[in-house]
Amino acid sequence: MTPTTTSLLRIRDLRLATLGPARKELLHGIDLDIRPRETLCLVGESGSGKSLTSLAVMGLLPPRELAVTGGEIRLDGEDLLAASPRRLRALRATRMAMIFQEPMTALNPLMRVGDQLDEVFAVHTTLDRRERRRRVIAALEDVHLPDPEKLALRFPHQLSGGQRQRIMIAMALALEPKLLIADEPTTALDVTTQAQILKLIEELQERHGTAVLFITHDMGVVADIADRVLVLRHGSPVEEGETRRVVGAPTADYTRELLAAVPTLDPRPARAPSSATPVLAVEGLCKTFGGGAHAVKALHDVGFALRPGRTLGVVGESGSGKSTLARCVMGLETVSSGVVRIDGTDVRQLDKAARRRHATRLQMVFQDPNRSLDPRRTVLQSVVEGALNFGVDKRTAAEKAAALIETVGLPRASLDRYPHQFSGGQRQRIAIARALMMDPEVIVADEAVSALDVSVQAQVLDLLMSLQAKFGLAILFITHDLRVAARLCDDVLVMRRGVAVESGPAERVLTRPADDYTRRLLDAAPGRSLDQAARLRAAEASIPAAPPGP
Amino acid sequence: MSSPRLTAPSWSRLVRELGSHRPHWLTGLAIAVLVALVLAALLAPLLSAHDPVTMVPSERLRPPSPDHLLGTDAMGRDLWARVLWGARISLVVGAGATLGAVVIGLPLGLVSGYFRRLDPFVMRVMDGLMAIPGILLAVALIAIVRPSLTTVMIAILIPEIPSVVRLVRARVLSAREEPYVEAARLLGTGGAKMLWRHLLPNTVAPLVVQAAHVFAAAILTESALSFLGVGIGTETPSWGNVMADGRLYFSIKPALIFWPAAALTLTILSINIVGDALRDALDPKTSKGKG
């Protein structure tokens, strides 16, 4: 369908496999074309092969582990798979460039950013020192960094994440490559920064005529920036086409599932307000780290009340203090001032034993499911740990654990296995079962679904909601993702630099924000067009009888 | 279905990790050397017809013969027997010192890493110990008490304690920040239970590796002390004092130094190779992971 003569990057039937005795094919024939000035998004969940594809193009596959086993990759007509390492090295700077997810690890921490940029010119051009200097400053101006002269003298750690990603982009585009490969370049950034970086890439692309291969797991980002989309799954292409068509009227079931799994920004209707006594109430909470001139006010006068059976979402960008709030509530950090009441009792007024017992009424689910379970203990040992601490006998505890592990959707046999034998989503289920074992009244979930793929994320969110209904749990849900908050929460508290800037019912805060910052967060959330498409799909689906996917 | 098994010890996975790792051929060789050495030490009385300490003036400085496999020394003692019996001393001192250093160092390290208030006290003592060269400290300790197998062992193990303490403490310090430790804290796990369930098992792997190095160091130190004449008395053969005895006759009969030195070198090399293999096998990043 695409005239191949005009495509800048052309991949045909790309196959890739692991080396070594247990040979396994990871890419099963990928085709793609990118024309100049075009943005193609490679989208898929973890393990889909989207990063492998980009590494194969760049010639950066780990040499003794992975190898291309078939197909062809042509950049501007040149066969990249036949190119010598030396030729690839030259091409990598001048014809194609790459930016990564975590700019901090891609920059040399011991070198001033100006010098790192200068190195690009020094290695690949014959410009003299003065001319290089001029080009460095111009490149920094190009990515809209303020005061380039001064900024060039800084070290990477002195810059913010967004600034570092701008430096990476400046380095990538320094030699005017024809192809820019961006591998999840905004995933580690806050939404507002993400929006700026996406805008910057778009602007530079227009100005320099670069083609962009953009790799992302985020359908929202796809909807915002891509001209065309290629959806991958388990190393095979699933669907390809114009963005508007793929997002608006996907033909493949998998694409439809992916789109359906993205929560909309339209908040779900709140449950009827409850008048029960708050199970968790926080008043005037302050937390200061360090002292003297270096004191950091992580929380300043934060308060909220959480009633049984309801969900309060705490949203904000990194550094807003939302995680500190969770940790203070849990007693993992000591508060500087303020009161945390559990069921109306100030925790600090209890004696030690009562406090220990009382504290278990709040349980936490952590962000990283790889690290929240002890790798050397079986699932059963992890799940029953709390119960054994409070004198439940082993048999009773094991039976309860078996019942709970089924409640969270895992087979009983899981109990005898070790955490590394489970996927991220399954481990998060185990962590939830461990929390439920204590019969808590409140579950505090700190970015509990942020490390998961969207489809898995949707399942875990559904699980949380069903458990909430079943056990009457109150949930304090910390997230940076407004879509997740809209889907799960009755009430929302917006944090910024340790201060609660706005709070109220999710329906009101996420649709008619009173605070400027909330408005900016909402505007920056990627994929607004996705929501319209979802509404359209829903409207269409409601005409015939068939409901949209599971 | 019956209620699931609760008793699966936390250690079982550790053992399986070790078992599932196919060793490099060099590691296999090193293990074979160590096994042979242990057997030789145990069976020393059967493997040599001669007593290692009986002096036979008429048999001085004999060349190797079927009767004396490696010849005899200046006092007419059988060199083969002396090297074999020397292995006993080396292994006993090495094992004893390692065991002692771990038994003392492990709890100190756990306590120091977990109970932060005790940390400064423990660590300053360790810093003090580390400031004194190990062999000097051992010489000084032996000078105070009468040299015997036990005192030599103690003198050797004391300078090795800080390395164990520091390693364990560092592991505990990093493990206590892990979310799974925080999660356990929220479940009401505290103090000793926390150490036993979560921190100790995650310390064992690097400790096993460290123990191998302590073992090698202890054997070396013992040989050095014996060579200097401050170790176990000359009435008990050890590789160090066998070498010391042979030193005077080096120009006419180098074998007197060569054989004990070869035994010592081979032992230390083997222990270090096995130690490195253990480190690779126990490190989740290098063993079988996703790669």
Side-chain angles (χ1 to χ4, degrees):
Chain A
M1 119 185 110
T2 318
T4 50
T5 43
T6 61
S7 62
L8 174 73
L9 178 72
R10 179 187 139 98
I11 299 179
R12 284 292 172 273
D13 195 33
L14 179 66
R15 286 168 189 278
L16 192 149
T18 57
L19 296 176
R23 209 183 162 82
K24 199 177 146 205
E25 194 172 76
L26 298 176
L27 294 182
H28 318 287
I30 306 265
D31 293 332
L32 72 81
D33 285 280
I34 306 179
R35 281 162 293 187
R37 289 177 185 277
E38 187 181 45
T39 302
L40 175 74
C41 266
L42 268 185
V43 64
E45 300 189 286
S46 46
S48 62
K50 51 194 196 301
S51 286
L52 288 179
T53 308
S54 70
L55 290 176
V57 173
M58 293 293 283
L60 293 175
L61 292 171
R64 269 175 295 280
E65 289 167 31
L66 296 172
V68 173
T69 49
E72 65 167 12
I73 304 175
R74 283 180 187 278
L75 178 69
D76 235 0
E78 184 171 351
D79 185 355
L80 293 186
L81 292 177
S84 67
R86 197 192 160 90
R87 175 71 186 146
L88 272 177
R89 212 155 38 234
L91 284 175
R92 274 204 286 269
T94 54
R95 297 279 193 80
M96 54 185 181
M98 189 157 177
I99 53 179
F100 299 90
Q101 176 171 349
E102 189 31 82
M104 190 66 210
T105 54
L107 289 166
N108 181 343
L110 298 178
M111 231 172 133
R112 295 174 197 280
V113 293
D115 294 342
Q116 300 193 42
L117 203 43
D118 181 79
E119 203 182 19
V120 177
F121 293 109
V123 171
H124 293 285
T125 66
T126 53
L127 302 173
D128 65 27
R129 180 179 288 264
R130 179 174 306 179
E131 180 61 15
R132 291 206 307 266
R133 171 89 190 147
R134 205 187 57 72
R135 295 279 293 270
V136 167
I137 301 301
L140 291 175
E141 269 170 359
D142 213 26
V143 293
H144 306 305
L145 280 165
D147 203 355
E149 299 274 350
K150 257 192 205 153
L151 202 118
L153 297 177
R154 301 261 190 100
F155 288 96
H157 72 268
Q158 295 170 310
L159 305 176
S160 69
Q163 287 175 323
R164 283 197 287 264
Q165 199 54 286
R166 282 170 196 265
I167 299 277
M168 285 307 297
I169 293 172
M171 285 173 78
L173 296 182
L175 300 172
E176 306 251 329
K178 296 194 166 160
L179 173 67
L180 175 68
I181 299 180
D183 190 353
E184 304 262 8
T186 57
T187 306
L189 303 175
D190 283 326
V191 269
T192 49
T193 320
Q194 164 168 296
Q196 291 163 11
I197 295 285
L198 292 179
K199 217 173 119 212
L200 174 72
I201 292 177
E202 213 169 353
E203 178 199 323
L204 293 174
Q205 177 179 22
E206 217 135 274
R207 202 173 331 143
H208 299 279
T210 323
V212 177
L213 175 60
F214 198 101
I215 293 159
T216 181
H217 68 282
D218 188 336
M219 272 294 185
V221 172
V222 173
D224 284 352
I225 64 155
D227 297 314
R228 282 188 307 125
V229 191
L230 173 60
V231 184
L232 295 183
R233 184 191 198 188
H234 303 323
S236 301
V238 172
E239 181 164 9
E240 198 221 338
E242 300 281 325
T243 307
R244 198 177 305 173
R245 207 270 303 151
V246 173
V247 169
T251 53
D253 285 343
Y254 178 66
T255 317
R256 220 169 287 139
E257 279 167 37
L258 264 189
L259 284 165
V262 181
T264 69
L265 265 175
D266 304 329
R268 68 163 171 77
R271 281 168 284 217
S274 146
S275 55
T277 6
V279 62
L280 174 67
V282 170
E283 288 159 32
L285 196 68
C286 294
K287 172 70 188 175
T288 309
F289 287 105
H294 297 290
V296 178
K297 271 194 172 176
L299 290 176
H300 183 70
D301 194 18
V302 179
F304 63 81
L306 180 59
R307 292 173 213 282
R310 290 177 75 87
T311 305
L312 171 67
V314 179
V315 299
E317 299 187 291
S318 51
S320 63
K322 55 191 195 304
S323 279
T324 309
L325 177 63
R327 296 177 61 81
C328 283
V329 167
M330 295 307 297
L332 289 171
E333 304 280 354
T334 50
V335 301
S336 302
S337 67
V339 189
V340 176
R341 278 184 224 282
I342 300 174
D343 245 355
T345 321
D346 183 354
V347 188
R348 282 176 306 175
Q349 274 156 13
L350 299 169
D351 65 74
K352 207 175 164 188
R355 187 158 49 184
R356 183 160 163 260
R357 176 74 250 196
H358 218 71
T360 59
R361 301 168 80 173
L362 265 63
Q363 283 300 321
M364 191 155 172
V365 178
F366 293 83
Q367 171 170 12
D368 186 349
N370 299 329
R371 292 173 61 205
S372 64
L373 296 167
D374 189 334
R376 298 207 184 272
R377 292 174 73 78
T378 62
V379 170
L380 178 65
Q381 287 175 321
S382 286
V383 173
V384 299
E385 174 160 5
L388 298 189
N389 283 338
F390 290 96
V392 178
D393 72 275
K394 285 188 178 181
R395 216 194 152 73
T396 321
E399 270 157 22
K400 186 172 176 191
L404 277 174
I405 210 79
E406 283 180 345
T407 310
V408 298
L410 292 174
R412 263 172 186 242
S414 317
L415 289 173
D416 286 329
R417 296 203 263 154
Y418 286 91
H420 73 271
Q421 295 169 290
F422 295 90
S423 69
Q426 289 171 326
R427 276 183 250 187
Q428 213 58 303
R429 286 170 190 268
I430 296 168
I432 292 171
R434 174 176 64 184
L436 291 176
M437 193 73 190
M438 302 305 288
D439 300 319
E441 282 142 66
V442 183
I443 297 263
V444 176
D446 186 1
E447 299 278 10
V449 296
S450 306
L452 306 175
D453 278 328
V454 269
S455 59
V456 183
Q457 185 176 41
Q459 292 163 10
V460 173
L461 289 178
D462 285 345
L463 173 67
L464 275 176
M465 285 197 271
S466 74
L467 292 174
Q468 178 167 41
K470 187 168 174 187
F471 297 102
L473 295 168
I475 299 180
L476 182 65
F477 198 87
I478 315 287
T479 182
H480 70 282
D481 190 337
L482 292 176
R483 291 176 177 278
V484 170
R487 167 151 183 174
L488 193 69
C489 302
D490 302 294
D491 303 288
V492 171
L493 178 78
V494 184
M495 301 270 305
R496 186 193 188 197
R497 295 187 192 151
V499 180
V501 293
E502 183 168 6
S503 70
E507 263 184 308
R508 208 264 306 147
V509 175
L510 297 180
T511 51
R512 298 183 304 280
D515 189 86
D516 263 354
Y517 178 68
T518 316
R519 209 165 295 136
R520 256 185 290 150
L521 274 185
L522 279 166
D523 287 342
R528 304 304 294 250
S529 56
L530 214 57
D531 295 332
Q532 287 165 4
R535 266 178 236 131
L536 270 177
R537 276 201 313 277
E540 274 166 28
S542 66
I543 300 167
Chain B
M1 186 185 140
S2 64
S3 68
R5 190 162 63 100
L6 233 189
T7 43
S10 337
W11 315 97
S12 61
R13 178 153 169 234
L14 203 67
V15 175
R16 234 174 309 135
E17 271 169 25
L18 276 174
S20 66
H21 204 78
R22 224 176 105 238
H24 189 251
W25 64 268
L26 194 60
T27 314
L29 191 66
I31 293 172
V33 168
L34 292 180
V35 170
L37 191 75
V38 171
L39 287 177
L42 284 174
L43 305 176
L46 301 176
L47 290 174
S48 73
H50 299 273
D51 184 79
V53 289
T54 316
M55 301 181 200
V56 187
S58 58
E59 296 278 302
R60 299 179 69 227
L61 294 173
R62 286 292 160 93
S65 67
D67 189 28
H68 298 290
L69 277 178
L70 301 178
T72 61
D73 72 358
M75 312 279 188
R77 292 172 293 196
D78 182 56
L79 187 59
W80 168 243
R82 287 177 70 72
V83 171
L84 275 184
W85 287 81
R88 289 190 147 192
I89 294 298
S90 289
L91 290 179
V92 167
V93 170
T98 307
L99 196 67
V102 169
V103 165
I104 299 171
L106 178 62
L108 280 177
L110 286 174
V111 162
S112 183
Y114 193 66
F115 301 102
R116 306 294 295 141
R117 263 180 231 169
L118 294 171
D119 186 44
F121 303 102
V122 177
M123 289 324 285
R124 289 307 78 76
V125 174
M126 292 305 131
D127 289 348
L129 276 178
M130 285 180 90
I132 309 167
I135 231 167
L136 265 189
L137 187 61
V139 169
L141 285 168
I142 293 169
I144 300 169
V145 292
R146 228 165 50 82
S148 72
L149 189 64
T150 322
T151 50
V152 167
M153 213 141 61
I154 291 170
I156 290 170
L157 78 84
I158 287 176
E160 297 294 341
I161 292 173
S163 67
V164 174
V165 173
R166 296 198 77 106
L167 177 90
V168 172
R169 171 178 174 268
R171 283 293 297 186
V172 171
L173 283 182
S174 70
R176 59 179 283 146
E177 301 298 325
E178 289 287 328
Y180 64 78
V181 172
E182 292 193 330
R185 192 133 48 100
L186 297 175
L187 295 168
T189 306
K193 274 186 194 158
M194 182 73 89
L195 284 172
W196 176 250
R197 282 185 197 156
H198 299 287
L199 299 174
L200 184 58
N202 285 292
T203 306
V204 169
L207 187 62
V208 168
V209 179
Q210 180 68 20
H213 294 294
V214 170
F215 188 51
I219 291 179
L220 267 183
T221 313
E222 186 278 322
S223 296
L225 289 175
S226 295
F227 187 79
L228 294 172
V230 290
I232 296 152
T234 43
E235 69 282 359
T236 319
S238 107
W239 290 337
N241 61 31
V242 173
M243 279 190 271
D245 288 344
R247 189 170 49 103
L248 294 174
Y249 304 90
F250 185 66
S251 51
I252 46 173
K253 196 172 178 190
L256 289 180
I257 288 212
F258 177 79
W259 290 112
L264 180 63
T265 309
L266 202 60
T267 308
I268 303 296
L269 202 58
S270 300
I271 295 171
N272 283 338
I273 289 171
V274 172
D276 286 350
L278 279 175
R279 186 196 58 213
D280 292 346
L282 293 171
D283 184 351
K285 282 189 215 90
T286 51
S287 77
K288 70 196 170 187
K290 289 176 279 181

